[in-house]
Amino acid sequence: MPEARGWFWSGRDGERRASEHAWTLEHRISMLERERKDLRRILAALGEGVLAVDSAGIVLHANPTAIELLGLDAESSLGSHLYVAVPQQSLCEALEEVMRGVETRDTLVTRELVVQHADGEHVLVAQVTPLRGANRSRADIDMAAEGAVAVVRDVTELRRLELARQEFFGNVSHELKTPITAIRGSLETIVDDPDMQEPVRARFLDSAVRHAARLNALVNDLLALARLEGDPGELHRAPLDLAALAGEIVYSVESSAVARGVTIVLNAIDGPAGADNDFVLVADEEAMRQAISNLVSNAIAYSEAGSRVELQVRRSDAFLELDVRDQGCGIPADAIERIFERFYRVDAARSREIGGTGIGLSIVKHVAQAHGGSVDVTSELGMGSSFIMRFPVSRSDATGTSHG
Ligand code: ADP
């Protein structure tokens, strides 16, 4: 008979072996305890929720993210039945389905859940897979699962971005299609009518040219937006005198303002230090030029003849500000929040008529933010609007270098 192994020892040797055994056991228990703690720590650090139940539907584990996302009771859910602990019926059903219907290793059930959190509705995606013993052989895999585990992700932000992207492409396609259709219509009419009278032909050609210019403006604005939404490191930052730049822009639009009967003036108001570089900001000149031009051309475009547009560049201890103020049509209070959105227009027909793309202010906002600043608007219907780009600067910037 083979020698009995394990617990049957006697004498001094037996005592030594028993104490060695006890030590090994203790060591193993503490290792297992440590592994369990490590595992809990890892699960607790996951950005995804993990919820595990056994084959009787009893909750074995819910990490903090699962507790938060699913709104579980941190105290009582462990050890409760999943129908008691988990408020989302469809997730409970998915967990059961996976446990009941497992046939292959690849079983995976996905459910989308809409849950109410304190900050509003969240969309969650739960992927449920069977839970199996660690040492199962391949042959065992067809057997029923020992439980199920759900991995839950919050996809609210992802869905919002997808929706915004779809909306953006829908808008871009629509905006591109309008001038393309107009250009094609004008040119086809000319081609189809070789006997067309010269003044009529000139009108059609003029319309095609105007729409081509709009197409060009739109594509340029889209490229600018793509550049600004890309890597901020792409911007070429260098010291830039904002007052000098505003002066150049005023000079370049003066004739078109006069043609519309609008007076345009520029004021530069020194800061408390009155230093030479009061208006200097480290900024990307091209981006800043485009932002200010957008504000100035809007101010002119949305003004009536006989009114005045004023640009003010001013410096305080904390900020360098550029204020573009008009006496035009103003913006309704309920639209103020939305005018910086891409393609949002208060009056789409008027915007198109003046050659607007609907993304000018979106570019302004991106440029301000890319330089650590902001843009604010105050407006009164029928009285006018004031758009202020504001960049933080420190007092030392007036005597040394400034930052963007
Ligand atoms: P658009 O190309 O249509 O001017 P913007 O993004 O520059 O696009 O402006 C968005 C909308 O905000 C405009 O369509 C217009 O309704 C409104 N808006 C912008 N600037 C002014 C302004 N100075 N006065 C009145 N409305 C303005």
Side-chain angles (χ1 to χ4, degrees):
M1 217 169 132
E3 191 194 337
R5 300 183 64 186
W7 294 95
F8 306 104
W9 299 303
S10 61
R12 302 194 74 143
D13 189 38
E15 267 171 40
R16 186 179 56 78
R17 289 174 69 184
S19 93
E20 266 175 16
H21 184 81
W23 183 87
T24 315
L25 208 60
E26 224 172 83
H27 180 67
R28 276 209 185 138
I29 290 172
S30 86
M31 288 257 291
L32 283 173
E33 191 60 33
R34 216 176 57 217
E35 267 176 28
R36 208 173 62 93
K37 276 191 186 152
D38 283 349
L39 201 62
R40 276 186 184 278
R41 269 212 303 270
I42 292 167
L43 287 170
L46 283 181
E48 276 116 0
V50 178
L51 173 78
V53 294
D54 68 11
S55 58
I58 302 298
V59 176
L60 296 174
H61 184 82
N63 72 348
T65 311
I67 291 172
E68 190 195 321
L69 291 179
L70 299 169
L72 309 182
D73 187 314
E75 304 291 313
S76 68
S77 53
L78 211 68
S80 301
H81 193 273
L82 71 107
Y83 276 98
V84 176
V86 180
Q88 295 77 22
Q89 170 98 5
S90 66
L91 177 57
C92 297
E93 286 167 3
L95 286 158
E96 275 204 320
E97 202 179 298
V98 159
M99 287 191 283
R100 255 190 292 112
V102 267
E103 272 154 20
T104 65
R105 183 198 282 271
D106 303 323
T107 307
L108 173 81
V109 170
T110 304
R111 285 284 182 281
E112 190 165 302
L113 316 164
V114 178
V115 294
Q116 196 64 37
H117 285 185
D119 62 349
E121 226 168 53
H122 281 236
V123 183
L124 311 179
V125 168
Q127 289 192 317
V128 187
T129 45
L131 196 62
R132 299 182 187 283
N135 299 318
R136 277 180 178 262
S137 68
R138 263 203 151 280
D140 290 338
I141 279 168
D142 285 346
M143 291 171 65
E146 291 173 5
V149 60
V151 175
V152 186
R153 274 182 308 132
D154 189 339
V155 294
T156 316
E157 184 59 12
L158 201 70
R159 288 287 148 86
R160 197 188 59 76
L161 290 174
E162 270 171 19
L163 206 69
R165 205 180 59 115
Q166 274 171 14
E167 220 174 85
F168 176 71
F169 282 116
N171 280 326
V172 168
S173 315
H174 176 76
E175 294 293 332
L176 290 174
K177 214 169 160 62
T178 315
I180 288 172
T181 310
I183 293 168
R184 194 173 157 187
S186 296
L187 296 180
E188 277 176 0
T189 315
I190 294 171
V191 170
D192 289 347
D193 184 3
D195 303 325
M196 186 183 279
Q197 297 212 329
E198 196 44 46
V200 182
R201 183 199 300 265
R203 261 212 320 277
F204 277 118
L205 283 176
D206 181 56
S207 161
V209 168
R210 271 189 298 108
H211 282 105
R214 218 184 114 205
L215 206 54
N216 189 44
L218 186 64
V219 171
N220 281 342
D221 276 3
L222 286 170
L223 286 173
L225 208 57
R227 180 169 166 254
L228 288 161
E229 285 185 349
D231 181 5
E234 294 269 300
L235 294 176
H236 304 295
R237 295 165 202 264
L240 176 71
D241 188 318
L242 219 55
L245 180 64
E248 280 176 35
I249 291 165
V250 166
Y251 181 73
S252 71
V253 297
E254 206 157 19
S255 56
S256 65
V258 168
R260 286 184 56 91
V262 175
T263 313
I264 182 160
V265 292
L266 167 69
N267 279 314
I269 301 168
D270 279 358
D276 281 351
N277 59 356
D278 249 0
F279 306 121
V280 173
L281 192 70
V282 175
D284 180 302
E285 183 173 342
E286 194 194 325
M288 207 55 90
R289 183 185 296 276
Q290 181 157 22
I292 302 171
S293 300
N294 287 355
L295 289 178
V296 172
S297 46
N298 276 352
I300 298 169
Y302 296 104
S303 288
E304 301 304 327
S307 68
R308 178 182 149 101
V309 168
E310 183 183 349
L311 267 80
Q312 218 177 66
V313 185
R314 47 184 187 248
R315 169 70 198 248
S316 70
D317 267 349
F319 296 105
L320 178 52
E321 290 181 346
L322 176 108
D323 184 353
V324 181
R325 195 174 283 258
D326 65 59
Q327 299 170 328
C329 62
I331 301 157
D334 59 350
I336 290 263
E337 287 286 306
R338 303 202 55 196
I339 54 171
F340 293 98
E341 288 173 21
R342 296 179 292 207
F343 298 114
Y344 180 83
R345 296 150 157 137
V346 177
D347 180 347
R350 179 163 183 182
S351 159
R352 291 208 175 91
E353 192 188 301
I354 59 164
T357 61
I359 38 184
L361 287 181
S362 176
I363 291 174
V364 174
K365 189 174 166 190
H366 272 88
V367 171
Q369 288 176 346
H371 291 85
S374 60
V375 54
D376 287 314
V377 54
T378 49
S379 185
E380 204 178 323
L381 260 188
M383 301 300 285
S385 313
S386 155
F387 286 82
I388 301 178
M389 287 181 91
R390 185 174 287 124
F391 303 96
V393 282
S394 63
R395 185 181 260 282
S396 63
D397 293 334
T399 48
T401 50
S402 31
H403 60 191

